[in-house]
Amino acid sequence: MEVSATTEQLSAGSEEVVAQFSSIAHIASEVSGQTQQIQSMSNKQLGMMQHVHEATTVLTANTLGMRQAIQQVNV
């Protein structure tokens, strides 16, 4: 009788471990999906920042050009 009870306890313990691993796998899958979303959003943000940098570069060049033109007019 003791062996049977011990076997049942081991079986129940094993089922609990399997359930916990299944839960961990589910959580890991969700985290992986969220990480991919973060990567996608980060890439999009990087693209926007590059666009802002390019626009700033053009604006700076235009400002310098306007300053030079103003100096020529003042001379």
Side-chain angles (χ1 to χ4, degrees):
M1 190 87 136
E2 287 182 35
V3 171
S4 177
T6 302
T7 303
E8 286 182 32
Q9 287 177 345
L10 287 173
S11 177
S14 295
E15 288 175 10
E16 186 177 330
V17 169
V18 168
Q20 289 176 353
F21 275 119
S22 177
S23 178
I24 290 170
H26 178 71
I27 291 169
S29 176
E30 287 181 4
V31 169
S32 175
Q34 291 172 351
T35 301
Q36 289 175 353
Q37 287 178 338
I38 290 169
Q39 179 184 14
S40 176
M41 288 187 281
S42 294
N43 287 340
K44 187 175 182 178
Q45 185 179 23
L46 176 61
M48 287 186 218
M49 293 304 295
Q50 289 172 336
H51 181 70
V52 168
H53 173 70
E54 292 168 4
T56 302
T57 300
V58 169
L59 185 58
T60 300
N62 289 343
T63 301
L64 292 175
M66 290 173 77
R67 283 183 182 174
Q68 290 174 352
I70 290 171
Q71 287 176 352
Q72 290 175 358
V73 170
N74 288 336
V75 171

